[in-house]
Amino acid sequence: MELSSLDYGFIIVFFSLVLGIGIYVSKKSGKDSSEFFLSGRTMPWWLLGLSMVATTFSTDTPNLVTDIVRTQGVSGNWVWWCFLLTGMLTVFVYAKLWRKSNVNTDLEFYEMRYGGKPASFLRKFRAIYLGALFNIITMASVTLAAIKIGGIMLGLEPWETVVGAGLITVIFSALGGFKGVVYTDFLLFFVAMSGAIGAAYYLVNIPEVGGISALMANEVVSSKLNILPDFDNTKVLVTLFIIPIAVQWWSSWYPGAEPGGGGYIAQRMLAAKDENHAIGATFFFNIMHYALRPWPWILVALASLVVYPDIASIHEAFPDVAESKLGHDLAYSAMLTKLPSGLLGVVLASLVAAYMSTISTQLNWGSSYIVFDFYKQQINPNATEKQMVAVGRISTVVLMVLSALFALTLQNAFEVFDLLITFGAGTGLVFILRWFWWRINAWSEIAAMFASGIISILLVKTGLGEFLFAPETGMLPEWANYPFVVVVTTAIWMAVTFMTQPESKETLRSFYIKIQPGGPGWSKVVSDANDDSVEIVKTKEKWSVPAGITAMLLGVVLIYSIMFATGYWIYGRTTQAMVLTVISIISAFLLIKAWNRLKGNLL
């Protein structure tokens, strides 16, 4: 495939703008650690919301969606659509709590909520565990997608893609810090959206596909269209819908969808002007992320089934691609090679935008953990602002190099997704309850973290899961692997919670005074404080969580109805689309009323 001068022009202009922004903000971003990692906590909701959406575009996401659609159908996306429940809980319950905490990173929360050496260990260990290990795995998945795009569309060797894409991104990230990331995300959002929509429109209408009507009528495609799984197929129903909706959304830690908020989503909430801006940013993100953005990718994935019905056909069309990188996720890149000059340049620029946005966010977020929660805590407690920024820039480079090397060993995006989901299984409930139940302590989180990781390794890496859950044993079927990890992990951390001492009165009261969580889970702490004539309740407001959960449920109905309606409009199923559109309008009206009762106008 040959790129035209116009295509190269789009890409060069894009790179120039991004690097220009990084250089422009570098002086202010390097002023101190707050500027470098949180942009001085002055960001408005709309800019942070756009940044969240741009960050989660990623180059691996369309590949992942394509893999899911081709192998499991559209309904297979419930493995990540279920995280909308987590997102809405963050919007209406946790966003204001995070912003009120005023911490530099979400890991700093540990020494606010817990006390003593266990809290200190937890903070420092998770700085490396999440900021380095999990972060490198996530970035490697994104880089793997870039490798596949570079190989299919540009004929690049994996190392050439890694060096080219990584070098520009790491320079920009190290220079611009968080402000540079967010400012360029504004540009990246529009470039990425226009590229994804433009590619979907063109590729659905190429002669091989024949337009949207022909695509919907295609025998191979029609069996993949259902948004809900086949309720008559127990295995599919349980694995693709029931487990994600009933268990996965609250039980797993996953980057960008942490129960109770966290990670780079928390970083953006912490950078917001105030609580309302934090809430507005996360709500906007969830609408875009779940309701609207997946459909261009889904359409390209469906069209790819017509052009490349199996992996063999992809390999035949692209014989130079290494067999170790072959998979259904390659179909997205393969389809993009059919784009015309001009649009191809825009789409390539959009993919570069997606890559840079995600990687720069992961680098800045991960290095914030290393600087605030490890370097300053463990190595140099008296570090100056200049030293902290310098360490942040160095760790940015190191994280990029390690993730690039790991990417060269991976095969497809779904294996990384599955690894992260399983590895974090059973930990989510701790993150949800720690704000509202005084009895949870640092040992609860330590137990959950280690139990989940160890059990996952035993089940997946040693083959124990296949032995226990193989159908021929007469025991639980193979899809019980994940809930098994959840149940055992949850049982372990709950047992540890009651077997260990609670946090000290001083720690619990200090946390309550700052956050004012309220609710029955803190009634004992409030009662004990009153008995000691210590006033820790600073507000007379009614506990907001029940109203927040009501708003959360209405938000879930709103976004799912928009998502379904969008799909049915595309499918040409007018009656279903109209009914769901009406439901979305009604739920939006009710949500506005619920939100006004909860907090007042957002803006």
Side-chain angles (χ1 to χ4, degrees), residues 78 82 229 231 233-249 479:
W78 282 102
C82 68
F231 279 57
N233 187 325
T234 303
K235 179 181 176 181
V236 171
L237 179 64
V238 171
T239 55
L240 298 186
F241 188 72
I242 292 179
I243 288 178
I245 288 293
V247 181
Q248 185 175 300
W249 72 269
W479 41 258

Side-chain angles (χ1 to χ4, degrees), residues 126-143 253 255 264 358-370 395-396 399-400 402-403 406 416 420:
R126 284 184 75 83
I128 302 302
Y129 182 70
L130 298 181
L133 178 62
F134 265 65
N135 201 18
I136 287 169
I137 293 172
T138 303
M139 288 192 294
S141 175
V142 177
T143 303
W253 183 97
Y264 56 79
T358 302
I359 294 295
S360 60
T361 288
Q362 296 288 148
L363 289 173
N364 188 265
W365 164 63
S367 62
S368 74
Y369 281 4
I370 293 170
S395 59
T396 295
L399 289 172
M400 185 72 247
L402 292 176
S403 66
F406 184 51
V416 180
L420 291 175

Side-chain angles (χ1 to χ4, degrees), residues 170-227:
V170 78
I171 291 172
F172 154 72
S173 302
L175 283 175
F178 184 75
K179 189 184 291 289
V181 171
V182 174
Y183 282 6
T184 52
D185 277 348
F186 179 79
L187 169 66
L188 302 181
F189 169 82
F190 292 103
V191 173
M193 279 299 294
S194 60
I197 294 170
Y201 180 82
Y202 181 87
L203 293 171
V204 165
N205 289 288
I206 60 176
E208 297 99 307
V209 178
I212 192 70
S213 298
L215 178 65
M216 297 297 112
N218 185 281
E219 185 177 346
V220 176
V221 172
S222 61
S223 63
K224 304 282 188 180
L225 293 177
N226 289 337
I227 301 175

Side-chain angles (χ1 to χ4, degrees), residues 274-345:
D274 54 37
E275 297 166 24
N276 281 350
H277 281 270
I279 293 168
T282 49
F283 186 59
F284 176 80
F285 159 67
N286 279 279
I287 291 176
M288 293 298 302
H289 183 59
Y290 294 100
L292 301 175
R293 191 176 54 183
W295 286 107
W297 299 332
I298 289 172
L299 284 173
V300 174
L302 293 171
S304 75
L305 287 166
V306 180
V307 181
Y308 304 105
D310 51 34
I311 295 177
S313 61
I314 299 174
H315 188 42
E316 183 180 351
F318 303 94
D320 294 334
V321 175
E323 288 193 17
S324 63
K325 302 301 180 186
L326 282 173
H328 283 287
D329 56 342
L330 267 179
Y332 189 83
S333 303
M335 290 295 291
L336 296 184
T337 63
K338 298 184 175 295
L339 296 174
S341 175
L343 180 57
L344 178 60

Side-chain angles (χ1 to χ4, degrees), residues 277-593:
H277 281 270
I279 293 168
T282 49
F283 186 59
F284 176 80
F285 159 67
N286 279 279
I287 291 176
M288 293 298 302
H289 183 59
Y290 294 100
L292 301 175
R293 191 176 54 183
W295 286 107
W297 299 332
I298 289 172
L299 284 173
V300 174
L302 293 171
S304 75
L305 287 166
V306 180
V307 181
Y308 304 105
D310 51 34
I311 295 177
S313 61
I314 299 174
H315 188 42
E316 183 180 351
F318 303 94
D320 294 334
V321 175
E323 288 193 17
S324 63
K325 302 301 180 186
L326 282 173
H328 283 287
D329 56 342
L330 267 179
Y332 189 83
S333 303
M335 290 295 291
L336 296 184
T337 63
K338 298 184 175 295
L339 296 174
S341 175
L343 180 57
L344 178 60
V346 172
V347 170
L348 275 174
S350 76
L351 292 172
V352 172
Y355 174 82
M356 293 187 69
S357 177
T358 302
I359 294 295
S360 60
T361 288
Q362 296 288 148
L363 289 173
N364 188 265
W365 164 63
S367 62
S368 74
Y369 281 4
I370 293 170
V371 170
F372 286 118
D373 304 301
F374 185 77
Y375 172 72
K376 188 169 175 58
Q377 293 295 308
Q378 183 70 28
I379 298 174
N380 188 4
N382 299 315
T384 65
E385 292 294 332
K386 186 176 180 179
Q387 288 174 320
M388 291 170 69
V389 171
V391 172
R393 286 173 167 159
I394 293 169
S395 59
T396 295
V397 175
V398 173
L399 289 172
M400 185 72 247
V401 171
L402 292 176
S403 66
L405 293 174
F406 184 51
L408 297 172
T409 69
L410 297 175
Q411 184 168 354
N412 66 68
F414 193 78
E415 67 178 340
V416 180
F417 176 84
D418 195 46
L419 171 67
L420 291 175
I421 286 291
T422 305
F423 222 73
T427 61
L429 196 59
V430 181
F431 303 134
I432 290 175
L433 293 180
R434 63 188 182 180
W435 295 88
F436 298 110
W437 186 25
W438 70 277
R439 192 59 182 82
I440 288 179
N441 59 34
W443 290 110
S444 307
E445 292 211 32
I446 293 171
M449 177 176 59
F450 280 102
S452 177
I454 292 170
I455 294 169
S456 298
I457 291 171
L458 288 175
L459 288 178
V460 178
K461 297 300 181 183
T462 67
L464 181 61
E466 294 180 11
F467 172 76
L468 288 176
F469 303 135
E472 58 268 23
T473 67
M475 298 178 72
L476 294 172
E478 60 185 12
W479 41 258
N481 200 337
Y482 174 82
F484 177 80
V485 178
V486 172
V487 170
V488 175
T489 299
T490 303
I492 289 173
W493 74 254
M494 286 289 288
V496 168
T497 299
F498 288 107
M499 290 168 60
T500 53
Q501 290 294 318
E503 299 298 336
S504 67
K505 286 184 178 181
E506 293 75 16
T507 298
L508 294 172
R509 290 174 183 179
S510 174
F511 177 78
Y512 196 99
I513 290 170
K514 186 174 184 64
I515 304 299
Q516 297 292 294
W522 287 93
S523 58
K524 184 179 187 305
V525 175
V526 173
S527 177
D528 288 347
N530 289 336
D531 291 343
D532 294 341
S533 300
V534 177
E535 184 181 350
I536 63 173
V537 179
K538 302 297 183 181
T539 177
K540 301 299 181 182
E541 293 179 5
K542 186 179 179 181
W543 190 40
S544 63
V545 170
I549 292 175
T550 299
M552 165 206 167
L553 295 174
L554 287 170
V556 168
V557 172
L558 169 64
I559 293 176
Y560 277 149
S561 61
I562 294 174
M563 183 185 78
F564 275 57
T566 302
Y568 286 134
W569 283 118
I570 292 170
Y571 290 174
R573 300 178 185 177
T574 308
T575 302
Q576 292 148 297
M578 290 181 67
V579 170
L580 286 162
T581 300
V582 171
I583 292 174
S584 67
I585 293 170
I586 294 171
S587 58
F589 173 76
L590 294 175
L591 178 59
I592 291 171
K593 292 188 68 175

